[in-house]
Amino acid sequence: MPLPKLLITRRVYDSVLDSLSGVFDIQHNQEKDEPLTKPDLMQKLADKDYLLSTVVDRIDEEVLAAAPGLKCIASGAVGTNNIDLKACTDRGIAVTNTPDVLTETTADFAWALLMATARRLTEAEQYLRQGQWKGWSFDQLTGVDVYGSTLGILGMGRIGSAISRRAQGFGMTVLYHNRRPAADEASARYVEKDVLFKESDFVVLVVPYSPQTHHIVAAKELALMKKSACLVNIARGGVVDDKALVQALQSGTIRAAGLDVFEGEPALDPGFLPLSNVVLTPHIASSTRATRGAMMQLAADNLLAHAQGRALLTQVA
């Protein structure tokens, strides 16, 4: 009996590929590791039974229609806003994601951005590299204190809770806003969204992207923030109105921002680039070797489970 056909859209670790070999007839992208255009993706999926995709692969109705034999999509990410889940369900295609394995790593990175933003680390490094440092002074590249300040978390799920736990070591007051209060969050105080933006010294965004959260942070929310406040986005591009944020940073409406995600990434609003009060990183919050390996392997394990008739580990559709 021929092996079921699997498309892997981007390079994965050799150990992950080895775990799938012998079970699937694999078409991979190990050598080039280049993003697939939509026509390429549709062409490669035409005869496939399985797909291991990434957060940058957009799987919509048109793509699904080009893959009549597709049985299961294993996404190597937590967020699934790039996949039309309803269309998958209508076609009987199972979809899985990779929760939990990246929680602590992503929370660490939220803190890396928060600290870099508070203490102007990237600005200070450029100052040094460009030969501008001529000596010491009291007011040289002064930042703001993290210890004892107020942290606001928009989205108190697994990652939000992990960020909140870390805040206890900094003696911070932690506020959060969700659609509803989190039953198990004793170390943080639930507040309305406007209160969170008004009272926080640092606002960290951890909400999933959806039509309901599109531009959940726009000019109105930015205007509520303290002029000394910093915004950190590790959620998804589109959660923040980037044009409004550029304007807020240019005008001093808020002090600074740390951003790992952007609208339309890998493109980003060019208005960010000349600003010294924004820390920019290329969507790497989960990017440690161990965590990215765990994400790939969980996606692979879901594919193996489906092909072998076992229960899926992390099914979302």
Side-chain angles (χ1 to χ4, degrees):
M1 179 179 295
L3 298 177
K5 294 185 177 183
L6 165 65
L7 174 65
I8 304 176
T9 62
R10 298 300 296 269
R11 182 186 298 136
V12 296
Y13 294 169
D14 288 343
S15 59
V16 175
L17 200 60
D18 290 345
S19 72
L20 296 165
S21 298
V23 178
F24 298 97
D25 176 2
I26 303 171
Q27 182 176 7
H28 56 68
N29 194 1
Q30 294 293 95
E31 289 79 22
K32 291 186 177 181
D33 192 34
E34 293 176 349
L36 299 179
T37 65
K38 187 172 184 177
D40 284 343
L41 180 60
M42 292 169 65
Q43 184 269 323
K44 291 178 186 299
L45 273 178
D47 64 342
K48 299 300 187 292
D49 304 290
Y50 291 90
L51 170 66
L52 197 164
S53 63
T54 72
V55 68
V56 299
D57 300 310
R58 184 157 297 282
I59 315 297
D60 58 17
E61 173 62 38
E62 187 179 10
V63 171
L64 294 172
L70 196 61
K71 299 178 177 67
C72 180
I73 299 170
S75 174
V78 175
T80 54
N81 57 287
N82 59 308
I83 302 172
D84 188 333
L85 296 180
K86 183 181 183 303
C88 288
T89 299
D90 291 346
R91 291 175 175 274
I93 300 170
V95 181
T96 66
N97 68 342
T98 59
D100 298 322
V101 295
L102 50 69
T103 297
E104 302 301 334
T105 298
T106 304
D108 283 351
F109 194 80
W111 274 92
L113 270 183
L114 188 154
M115 296 293 289
T117 302
R119 299 300 301 273
R120 302 170 66 179
L121 291 191
T122 57
E123 186 181 354
E125 182 182 9
Q126 289 301 313
Y127 180 82
L128 188 65
R129 288 181 183 276
Q130 292 167 4
Q132 297 182 58
W133 189 32
K134 305 302 181 184
W136 185 92
S137 66
F138 270 114
D139 60 354
Q140 187 175 58
L141 290 163
T142 53
V144 293
D145 286 320
V146 174
Y147 188 88
S149 62
T150 298
L151 172 65
I153 300 173
L154 187 61
M156 188 64 88
R158 297 179 184 92
I159 297 170
S161 293
I163 292 168
S164 178
R165 288 197 306 273
R166 286 156 174 76
Q168 305 316 304
F170 286 86
M172 299 180 86
T173 298
V174 182
L175 311 177
Y176 76 96
H177 180 76
N178 268 354
R179 286 173 296 178
R180 62 186 67 86
D184 59 347
E185 195 51 60
S187 61
R189 177 165 61 93
Y190 176 86
V191 295
E192 294 301 323
K193 190 177 81 166
D194 284 1
V195 173
L196 183 142
F197 280 92
K198 287 177 181 177
E199 296 188 5
S200 299
D201 298 300
F202 300 91
V203 175
V204 180
L205 308 179
V206 207
V207 293
Y209 180 82
S210 69
Q212 291 72 38
T213 60
H214 181 73
H215 287 185
I216 196 171
V217 179
K220 172 181 175 290
E221 288 72 26
L222 295 167
L224 293 173
M225 295 175 68
K226 300 175 183 179
K227 284 188 175 294
S228 58
C230 301
L231 180 76
V232 174
N233 187 9
I234 58 162
R236 280 288 187 270
V239 167
V240 176
D241 180 343
D242 282 356
K243 289 192 180 301
L245 179 56
V246 167
Q247 292 171 358
L249 292 166
Q250 289 172 335
S251 65
T253 301
I254 65 171
R255 181 182 172 279
L259 308 175
D260 188 50
V261 290
F262 308 90
E263 291 191 270
E265 62 183 53
L268 71 157
D269 191 309
F272 285 125
L273 297 177
L275 297 177
S276 61
N277 58 341
V278 59
V279 179
L280 307 170
T281 57
H283 203 148
I284 56 170
S286 66
S287 189
T288 67
R289 183 161 183 84
T291 294
R292 287 285 172 91
M295 293 164 68
M296 295 177 208
Q297 192 58 59
L298 180 51
D301 289 344
N302 273 304
L303 292 170
L304 290 166
H306 192 282
Q308 295 167 352
R310 295 181 281 112
L312 295 173
L313 303 174
T314 53
Q315 185 169 4
V316 293

